[in-house]
Amino acid sequence: MKRIKLTWALREACFTRDNWTCRACGHHDTAGASLQGDHIVPVTKGGKNELGNLQTLCSVCNNVKQAVEVKLPIRKAPSMTQTLGEYLNMVNENREVFRIAVKRKRIKENRKARA
């Protein structure tokens, strides 16, 4: 079966709803160059190309998540009172927490599959 690509309009609606901010780490990109429309329920597991099944992730976090089913809350855009260093520290800390959570989820899914 041929996979249907997300349209730019659907991606843009997802990014706008999510404040052009990665739900996993908080990376903000108003140009959208480093953002991706991620399927909460992966297409390989029956997920659909609809706004309710999409979340904004940066390319780094989307590569970490891969085909794991993880729904994340919408984040606010970063505060303008943060320094660049504080912002980068926040993003890196959030990415590490996300990596650990995805790793745990994969372990749990693998245990279920074996049982």
Side-chain angles (χ1 to χ4, degrees):
M1 177 191 291
K2 187 175 180 181
R3 182 173 175 166
I4 300 170
K5 290 189 175 192
L6 291 177
T7 63
W8 172 247
L10 189 54
R11 250 193 298 265
E12 187 175 30
C14 177
F15 297 167
T16 300
R17 180 201 59 208
D18 294 347
N19 302 310
W20 296 80
T21 304
C22 175
R23 285 189 179 191
C25 70
H27 172 69
H28 184 71
D29 181 0
T30 53
S34 64
L35 299 178
Q36 298 177 355
D38 170 67
H39 292 86
I40 296 166
V41 176
V43 173
T44 57
K45 295 181 180 178
K48 305 229 182 299
N49 281 353
E50 39 191 53
L51 189 57
N53 188 43
L54 295 175
Q55 60 189 352
T56 302
L57 293 183
C58 68
S59 56
V60 173
C61 292
N62 201 14
N63 287 334
V64 168
K65 179 184 172 278
Q66 295 178 350
V68 176
E69 191 174 328
V70 180
K71 183 175 182 176
L72 300 159
I74 296 174
R75 289 182 174 271
K76 293 180 182 173
S79 166
M80 295 306 288
T81 60
Q82 285 178 306
T83 65
L84 181 58
E86 290 170 336
Y87 168 76
L88 293 175
N89 284 338
M90 175 204 71
V91 167
N92 288 331
E93 287 171 11
N94 290 343
R95 282 181 179 160
E96 188 57 31
V97 169
F98 181 62
R99 280 187 188 101
I100 292 166
V102 169
K103 186 176 180 179
R104 286 183 181 151
K105 180 97 177 180
R106 276 196 189 105
I107 290 169
K108 191 176 181 180
E109 285 180 359
N110 287 338
R111 285 183 185 155
K112 273 186 181 178
R114 288 183 198 153

